[in-house]
Each structure stands twice: as structure tokens, then as C-alpha cells.
Amino acid sequence: MAVATETKMITLTIDGQKVTVPQGTIIFEAIRTLGKTVPHYCYDRDLSIVASCRLCFVEIEKVPKLQPSCSTPVNEGMVVYTNSEKVLEARRMQMEFLLVQHPLDCPVCDQGGECKLQDYSLKHGTEDSRFRFEKRTYPKPDIGSLIDLERNRCILCSRCVRYMDEIAGSQELALVARGNDTYISTFMDEPLKNEFAGNTIDLCPVGALTSKVTRFRTRVWELRDKPSVCTLCSVGCNINLQYRNRTHEILRVVPRGKRSGELPVDM
Ligand code: SF4
Ligand code: SF4
Ligand code: FES
């Protein structure tokens, strides 16, 4: 007979507020229970944790260095600060670092208006760049008729790679090379074949992976959501039909949750 074991609960303090969560919870999710979040790129609760973007840093009392909230479990009595001067400074530095090689493409980038790099740069970045050299550029591969890959805009968060590997079940995307030369690629630059590959468009926090079907047909601020249910199979996933405000023409179908604002990007 199976014996039910009680989950131990942990109480910690986040920005002066007490919160109680099950043991093993990461600080990032504990913060979420307070209805807020910290800036993040690589973390997604449905994917494995890599803690590579270093943007979700928090300060913990009695811990000398800032810790990534997405990979640090809670502890009894922990005192966490998400907006201390140390944290804000680390975020500024990390945003500057992410933008070192990033092109100034926003006016011609289809992600404009729903880009986490734009949002976080405005909120947490600096106004100027100290990088005065030529930016690194990569050739643009053709990865199929549905998805456009613009490598120069990739921030190497590996969400798309982990999604393809862990959920779609095919290792068709990879981060290739090392260090400053790392870039995102399909296997041998071949087109993506997996039928779930389109979800990477919604998972990519920037304009590196965009839809060839809808790109340049509208700007995201012209779109409105209409909740619906997908009818392509018997599962009936929740979707949002996105239509142009003025003409009511349906332009995009997106999963409800990810792109439709399940998580507040501001913080
Ligand atoms: S990915 Fe974001 S920040 Fe980069 S060019 Fe596109 S909209 Fe601008
Ligand atoms: S293509 Fe997008 S999701 Fe994939 S690693 Fe680059 S930024 Fe992340
Ligand atoms: S979200 Fe925590 S390190 Fe990227």
C-alpha cells in the first residue's frame, strides 16, 4: 500500500513579503506566487534549467554573490531581494553584454513590440553602448517555408534547442561552436522537419525565429486576441486567434499562455 508523504513547506521572505512554498521550489517560482517575476530569457517552466542568461539574478542575505533565481532552491528563513542596487547593477551589465553583438534591427524586425530584448533593454538597460567595434555577423540559412532564422538576433538562450530536444523529440536545432563564436543552427543548415517546430517561434524571446507566414503583414500592436480551441486534432489545445484590429482579418494563431501574456514581462 502506498504511503502518502507530506511535502515539507518552506517559508522565506521576498522583498519584505513572507511566502510559503513546497520544499524544492526554485526562488523564481516562489517570486511568481507573489504575482510578479524577474527578468529572464533562458528559463521556461516546461523546459530543463540551464541558468545561462544570468538575467534572473537575485540577492540573498548572507550569500556573498548574486544567485540565478531559476536554479536556486528556496531555503527556510531565506531573505531574498529582487530589486536591490546590486541586482539592478547586475541586470544593467548583463543587458549591455547581451547587446554587444546585437544588430540595431528593431525597425525592420518582426518581433518589434513583443520582444523581451526590447522590453528589458528599455526597463533595465543603459542608453548607450561602449562597444565601438564592428559587430559579428552570420550568414542567413534557409530553414524551411514556415520559420525564418536570423542568427544575428539570437541571444543564445537555447530555449528552442531544449524544446526541440525535450518536447518535440528531435534534435534538429543546436548551439554550434564555442564562446564568442557560438551560433544557433539546424543540423547541417537543413530545413526543420518536425511538425512541432513552429512552437519555437513562440518560445524565442527575440526576433531570431519568426514566422514566414505572417512576418511583415502587420505589427503586433495592431493585433487583438480572440480565445479559441484548435480543431486540428482531438486534444483541443487552447489557442488565441489574433486578428487585425481594423479589418478583423485573422493573421496569426498562437498558443494561449506563452505569447498571449501568461507571464508579465515587466518587473
Ligand atoms: S530581436 Fe528585439 S531587440 Fe533585436 S532587432 Fe528584433 S525587436 Fe529589436
Ligand atoms: S533562436 Fe531564439 S530561442 Fe533559440 S537560442 Fe536563439 S534566442 Fe534563444
Ligand atoms: S532565467 Fe535564470 S539564468 Fe536565465
Side-chain angles (χ1 to χ4, degrees):
M1 197 175 79
V3 181
T5 49
E6 244 181 63
T7 312
K8 189 176 170 203
M9 299 303 281
I10 302 286
T11 299
L12 66 158
T13 307
I14 300 174
D15 295 336
Q17 276 181 277
K18 286 245 181 298
V19 54
T20 302
V21 290
Q23 187 175 35
T25 303
I26 51 171
I27 296 176
F28 188 97
E29 292 296 344
I31 295 168
R32 259 185 191 164
T33 63
L34 294 171
K36 55 186 187 175
T37 184
V38 282
H40 58 285
Y41 287 122
C42 65
Y43 177 71
D44 183 294
R45 74 173 108 190
D46 297 326
L47 301 174
S48 60
I49 294 170
V50 288
S52 62
C53 75
R54 319 307 274 177
L55 201 60
C56 69
F57 274 144
V58 290
E59 186 174 356
I60 304 169
E61 260 183 32
K62 299 191 182 122
V63 177
K65 290 187 178 169
L66 299 178
Q67 299 297 315
S69 60
C70 70
S71 63
T72 311
V74 296
N75 251 323
E76 189 61 42
M78 217 177 211
V79 181
V80 177
Y81 302 99
T82 66
N83 271 319
S84 67
E85 208 29 67
K86 244 170 130 180
V87 171
L88 297 181
E89 178 59 15
R91 267 182 213 156
R92 271 194 293 276
M93 284 164 56
Q94 199 54 18
M95 287 311 303
E96 186 179 12
F97 187 55
L98 280 166
L99 289 168
V100 159
Q101 299 287 3
H102 199 84
L104 296 171
D105 271 359
C106 295
V108 293
C109 177
D110 210 46
Q111 193 82 2
E114 57 180 353
C115 173
K116 277 192 161 187
L117 192 59
Q118 265 186 341
D119 293 342
Y120 291 159
S121 297
L122 277 174
K123 194 133 195 182
H124 308 290
T126 52
E127 285 174 5
D128 197 15
S129 167
R130 289 177 284 169
F131 189 74
R132 303 281 179 249
F133 308 98
E134 199 166 321
K135 299 205 178 205
R136 176 194 61 199
T137 54
Y138 291 110
K140 190 173 163 64
D142 184 357
I143 62 162
S145 56
L146 294 177
I147 303 175
D148 184 83
L149 171 59
E150 179 49 80
R151 282 177 175 144
N152 300 331
R153 296 182 194 144
C154 173
I155 55 165
L156 306 175
C157 70
S158 82
R159 277 172 170 233
C160 58
V161 177
R162 283 174 286 144
Y163 168 78
M164 290 300 287
D165 189 9
E166 297 163 13
I167 296 183
S170 62
Q171 297 172 327
E172 292 176 53
L173 277 169
L175 293 178
V176 180
R178 290 287 178 271
N180 192 42
D181 296 326
T182 311
Y183 63 93
I184 182 76
S185 184
T186 55
F187 180 69
M188 302 293 278
D189 277 355
E190 284 181 11
L192 287 170
K193 294 188 188 71
N194 191 293
E195 60 183 330
F196 298 112
N199 289 316
T200 57
I201 297 169
D202 300 301
L203 273 170
C204 181
V206 296
L209 293 167
T210 53
S211 163
K212 278 189 178 169
V213 181
T214 56
R215 69 201 295 254
F216 305 142
R217 291 185 66 199
T218 186
R219 278 305 203 174
V220 64
W221 50 87
E222 293 185 318
L223 294 174
R224 298 292 176 271
D225 281 333
K226 186 55 94 179
S228 188
V229 173
C230 179
T231 55
L232 292 182
C233 79
S234 54
V235 173
C237 295
N238 287 341
I239 55 170
N240 269 343
L241 300 175
Q242 295 194 322
Y243 61 96
R244 201 198 304 271
N245 193 22
R246 285 173 283 122
T247 60
H248 285 201
E249 181 190 4
I250 295 173
L251 290 168
R252 286 204 311 199
V253 178
V254 295
R256 226 184 297 166
K258 291 287 181 213
R259 196 177 250 189
S260 313
E262 177 199 301
L263 304 175
V265 290
D266 57 328
M267 167 73 194

